[in-house]
């Protein structure tokens, strides 16, 4: 009689077990998105922003650009505000860490595919 | 005497098979020229340098803080390795001591990374020998450690845990519980995979006695990491020249360097599997003995002129970062020697004398990054026809060849 392989019991156990993969686009159950995930860049507290340009200076991939505040924006002290060219962003979170007034945040949004580069500029 | 009476010497055709640069079994483009006689590899030549990304030069135009994130992208699997070793180099150049808690968390990330890298290797090794069941099961369980790393750092691959002067995220009590729970599961699973690797014939018969690297050659060819330790060369920076929390780990006396005197691919596999279990134990020790205190020290952005060499035992072997600072906030020169680079030479040796069908697993045994879209060119010596073969075709043929032998 041929000997059973080492994994035989494991295979039988798994046959009746739960599926390991998640049917992702159809369901998000079981994705286990952890707290503190570094996801999509957000200009969260524009009121606190002074337009100091530190985030632009520390960004390793030159993803953050300081533009002059538009009419619909909250006017900052220096008249500048950050925008993120998300196609260049590394999601390192250095801007969030360096910001002296906690203006920026990397949210827990992880779906970050867009159809064009223009869509990826986050205001 | 006529010519026909002389014994005829038949020389089997020599075929040179170029594998790579775009490419064989590796994600990093390398070029292997295998000269074969029949099925035997009689010579192997390794050429590298096809993937020049100019990372070291780019780094000279960036601040130290920005270079950290660049260093992380040298390798996707060893991201914490390069990130942490560079941080270590800059801290040494700035002559600052980082807080104890930061050292422990940095080491914890490194060890978790080692667990995930070794399980990844084990899965790839199972896959290369045609044992896909174990490949899928081991990668399913690798998700446990990937989730732990994601919870700890906020990203699955590029952890960005280290900063100059410490670490960026703290380990809270609830996170500690999650990590300990995950580590228990990992230890149980890894003990099972250790038994699978040793007692399952499907795997063992393909790696036993394959790709022999004698101890003497491993030493003279400068093999590092599990490749060296699988040939009984005691080379492990964590024990020979410990930094960070490895000093405490070594002094605790609970951990030992994992060595094997088998000298073949099986030896390297055993070293990696046992080391994973050791790494799980190390993580648990680090979490239980985590000191209180701050997690980062403020370091001024301008670093005084200095020349430093930082070493760390990456999952694949010793990694070296050489850094020259010039008093500005940018490096003057930064040089990285990754472990795979040190192992190329000894790999060329291990290929010689083996079967062509064993080439994928021997190439895999030093743990270079594997690609899924690689090609192998087979040149027929007689009519000089060239066939392009994807790796999976080559692998299927290898497995078929082994089946027909028995």
């Amino acid at each position: 009689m041929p000997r059973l392989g080492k994994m035989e019991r494991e295979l039988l156990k798994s046959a009746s077990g739960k599926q390991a993969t998640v049917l992702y686009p159809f369901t998000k159950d079981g994705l286990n998105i952890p707290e503190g995930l570094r996801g999509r860049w957000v200009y969260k507290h524009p009121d606190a922003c002074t337009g100091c340009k530190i985030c632009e200076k520390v960004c390793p991939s030159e993803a953050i650009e300081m533009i002059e505040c538009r009419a619909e924006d909250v006017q900052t002290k220096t008249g500048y505000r950050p925008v993120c060219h998300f196609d260049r962003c590394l999601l390192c979170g250095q801007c969030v860490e360096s910001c002296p007034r906690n203006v920026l945040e990397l949210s827990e949004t992880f779906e970050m595919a867009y159809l064009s580069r223009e869509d990826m500029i986050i205001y | 005497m006529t010519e026909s009476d002389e014994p005829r010497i038949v020389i089997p055709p020599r075929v040179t098979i170029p594998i790579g640069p775009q490419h064989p079994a590796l994600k990093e483009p390398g070029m292997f020229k295998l000269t074969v006689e029949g099925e035997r590899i009689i010579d192997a030549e390794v050429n590298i340098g096809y993937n020049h990304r100019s990372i070291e030069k780019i780094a000279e135009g960036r601040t130290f803080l920005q270079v950290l994130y660049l260093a992380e992208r040298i390798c996707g699997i060893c991201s914490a390795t390069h990130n942490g070793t560079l941080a270590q180099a800059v801290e040494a150049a700035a002559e600052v001591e980082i807080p104890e808690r930061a050292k422990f968390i940095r080491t914890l990330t490194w060890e978790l990374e080692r667990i995930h890298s070794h399980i990844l290797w084990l899965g790839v090794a199972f896959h290369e020998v045609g044992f896909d069941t174990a490949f899928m099961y081991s990668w399913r369980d690798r998700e446990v450690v990937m989730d732990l790393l994601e919870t700890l750092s906020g990203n699955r691959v590029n952890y960005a845990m280290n900063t100059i002067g410490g670490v960026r995220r703290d380990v809270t009590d609830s996170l500690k519980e999650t990590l300990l729970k995950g580590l228990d599961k990992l230890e149980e699973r890894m003990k099972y995979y250790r038994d699978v690797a040793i007692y399952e014939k499907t795997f063992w018969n393909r790696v036993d006695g394959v790709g022999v690297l004698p101890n003497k050659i491993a030493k003279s060819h400068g093999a590092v990491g599990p490749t060296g330790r699988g040939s009984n060369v005691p080379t492990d920076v964590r024990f020979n020249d410990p930094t960070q929390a490895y000093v405490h780990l070594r002094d605790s006396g609970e951990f030992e360097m994992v060595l094997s005197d088998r000298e073949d691919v099986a030896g390297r596999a055993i070293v990696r599997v046992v080391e994973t279990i050791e790494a799980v134990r190390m993580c648990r020790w680090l979490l239980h003995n985590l000191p209180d205190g701050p997690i980062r020290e403020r370091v001024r952005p301008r670093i005084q002129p200095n020349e430093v060499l930082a070493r760390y035992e990456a999952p694949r072997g010793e990694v070296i970062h050489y850094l020259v600072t010039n008093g500005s906030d940018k490096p003057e020169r930064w040089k990285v020697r990754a472990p795979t680079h040190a192992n190329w030479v000894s790999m060329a040796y291990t290929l010689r004398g083996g079967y062509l069908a064993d080439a994928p697993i021997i190439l895999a045994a030093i743990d270079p990054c594997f690609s899924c879209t690689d090609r192998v060119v087979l040149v027929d010596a007689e009519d000089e026809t060239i066939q392009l073969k994807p790796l999976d075709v080559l692998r299927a043929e290898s497995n078929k060849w082994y089946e027909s032998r028995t």
Side-chain angles (χ1 to χ4, degrees):
Chain A
M1 199 185 110
R3 267 203 2 234
L4 289 177
K6 176 76 193 157
M7 294 198 75
E8 207 85 7
R9 195 180 294 171
E10 179 75 18
L11 291 173
L12 291 171
K13 216 165 75 184
S14 297
S16 58
K18 221 177 77 192
Q19 187 179 337
T21 47
V22 180
L23 294 171
Y24 161 59
F26 308 106
T27 169
K28 285 183 190 172
D29 298 338
L31 280 180
N32 302 328
I33 307 301
E35 226 177 282
L37 177 87
R38 300 201 304 269
R40 196 173 192 269
W41 185 91
V42 193
Y43 186 41
K44 204 174 179 197
H45 303 293
D47 305 336
C49 184
T50 55
C52 66
K53 299 190 183 180
I54 287 180
C55 49
E56 188 191 29
K57 232 176 267 173
V58 296
C59 181
S61 57
E62 294 167 17
I64 294 179
E65 190 194 351
M66 298 300 288
I67 57 162
E68 276 179 38
C69 293
R70 299 167 304 171
E72 68 264 36
D73 289 334
V74 179
Q75 300 299 314
T76 60
K77 212 167 137 191
T78 58
Y80 286 94
R81 56 152 294 178
V83 289
C84 182
H85 295 269
F86 205 53
D87 48 339
R88 297 182 216 150
C89 182
L90 301 173
L91 301 169
C92 66
Q94 187 60 47
C95 51
V96 180
E97 202 180 290
S98 295
C99 181
R101 308 191 64 165
N102 292 328
V103 175
L104 307 171
E105 194 193 62
L106 289 183
S107 65
E108 285 169 19
T109 313
F110 62 93
E111 287 159 316
M112 297 177 284
Y114 301 88
L115 289 173
S116 76
R117 288 199 162 203
E118 280 68 45
D119 297 345
M120 296 185 93
I121 301 173
I122 303 171
Y123 289 97
Chain B
M1 202 197 278
T2 58
E3 259 188 34
S4 58
D5 291 335
E6 281 183 17
R8 281 186 65 199
I9 300 165
V10 180
I11 302 166
R14 270 194 187 184
V15 185
T16 303
I17 304 173
I19 305 182
Q22 300 292 338
H23 156 271
L26 325 157
K27 259 185 191 131
E28 297 125 310
M31 162 90 165
F32 308 90
K33 266 190 198 162
L34 306 180
T35 306
V36 295
E37 261 179 17
E39 286 289 338
R40 283 265 178 203
I41 300 169
I42 56 162
D43 195 20
E45 194 190 312
V46 182
N47 296 327
I48 51 168
Y50 290 94
N51 194 14
H52 186 67
R53 291 178 292 175
S54 190
I55 281 189
E56 287 166 15
K57 191 69 195 166
I58 295 169
E60 286 171 20
R62 282 162 196 251
T63 63
F64 289 107
L65 208 56
Q66 293 172 334
V67 177
L68 273 181
Y69 303 113
L70 181 69
E72 199 170 58
R73 280 153 182 87
I74 291 176
C75 174
I77 296 167
C78 308
S79 66
T81 295
H82 291 288
N83 186 258
T85 317
L86 178 66
Q88 198 173 279
V90 179
E91 284 150 14
E95 289 165 21
V96 288
E97 187 73 15
I98 69 166
E100 278 295 299
R101 192 178 172 85
K103 284 185 183 174
F104 271 65
I105 296 173
R106 189 175 283 179
T107 315
L108 177 72
T109 326
W110 277 345
E111 284 308 313
L112 283 172
E113 187 188 60
R114 189 184 313 280
I115 298 170
H116 109 71
S117 174
H118 281 355
I119 303 180
L120 179 130
W121 178 85
L122 190 70
V124 169
F126 283 143
H127 178 57
E128 289 305 318
V129 300
F131 191 13
D132 275 0
T133 316
F135 155 60
M136 285 171 198
Y137 276 68
S138 56
W139 276 38
R140 178 194 68 188
D141 294 326
R142 177 171 165 263
E143 283 306 307
V144 176
V145 67
M146 297 301 283
D147 284 349
L148 293 185
L149 278 165
E150 194 181 18
T151 322
L152 176 69
S153 70
N155 198 313
R156 261 169 72 91
V157 180
N158 293 311
Y159 318 117
M161 271 301 274
N162 300 297
T163 186
I164 292 156
V167 289
R168 294 173 65 195
R169 289 193 185 207
D170 203 358
V171 176
T172 57
D173 286 341
S174 62
L175 178 59
K176 202 164 143 182
E177 290 304 311
T178 321
L179 287 169
L180 285 170
K181 219 181 275 173
L183 288 170
D184 286 342
K185 193 176 175 205
L186 276 170
E187 189 172 19
E188 181 211 321
R189 296 305 302 167
M190 277 323 291
K191 283 183 175 160
Y192 174 72
Y193 290 119
R194 178 190 60 193
D195 294 347
V196 169
I198 297 172
Y199 298 115
E200 175 62 56
K201 284 191 293 177
T202 319
F203 180 70
W204 189 256
N205 290 358
R206 281 290 303 271
V207 292
D208 185 16
V210 168
V212 178
L213 179 69
N215 178 275
K216 221 176 122 189
I217 301 290
K219 274 185 189 161
S220 65
H221 286 42
V224 295
T227 312
R229 291 198 288 277
S231 296
N232 213 6
V233 182
T235 154
D236 191 330
V237 183
R238 292 179 294 165
F239 297 95
N240 298 340
D241 182 17
T243 52
Q244 309 293 328
Y246 288 119
V247 182
H248 304 286
L249 279 167
R250 187 193 57 177
D251 293 347
S252 74
E254 289 177 35
F255 306 99
E256 275 182 17
M257 198 190 297
V258 184
L259 289 169
S260 165
D261 54 5
R262 290 193 53 92
E263 303 180 342
D264 55 2
V265 177
R268 279 160 244 166
I270 292 172
V271 165
R272 286 204 176 88
V273 176
V274 177
E275 224 171 67
T276 317
I277 300 169
E278 284 287 296
V280 173
R281 287 182 49 231
M282 280 184 184
C283 289
R284 202 177 287 138
W285 190 93
L286 288 167
L287 283 169
H288 284 312
N289 294 286
L290 197 64
D292 291 329
I295 57 162
R296 61 194 292 182
E297 179 85 9
R298 208 179 138 68
V299 182
R300 62 205 174 280
R302 290 178 193 279
I303 314 282
Q304 70 258 43
N306 234 330
E307 188 178 345
V308 291
L309 187 85
R311 306 163 77 192
Y312 160 65
E313 185 72 18
R316 289 160 183 167
E318 182 186 359
V319 64
I320 294 171
H321 281 227
Y322 169 73
L323 180 75
V324 183
T325 50
N326 57 4
S328 72
D329 59 351
K330 290 170 185 152
E332 169 86 22
R333 178 79 176 96
W334 173 48
K335 166 79 191 148
V336 180
R337 205 290 318 269
T340 309
H341 190 265
N343 281 335
W344 288 128
V345 199
S346 55
M347 187 180 67
Y349 181 90
T350 55
L351 281 167
R352 282 180 205 132
Y355 288 112
L356 182 58
D358 289 330
I361 183 68
I362 297 176
L363 294 178
I366 69 156
D367 193 10
C369 300
F370 261 70
S371 167
C372 10
T373 54
D374 29 29
R375 309 268 183 288
V376 171
V377 181
L378 289 182
V379 184
D380 197 309
E382 280 176 19
D383 52 2
E384 294 192 346
T385 51
I386 294 179
Q387 274 176 287
L388 268 180
K389 293 199 178 185
L391 186 70
D392 44 351
V393 174
L394 188 75
R395 189 186 301 119
E397 285 180 4
S398 307
N399 293 337
K400 215 178 277 170
W401 184 79
Y402 257 94
E403 274 167 25
S404 64
R405 278 179 83 213
T406 48

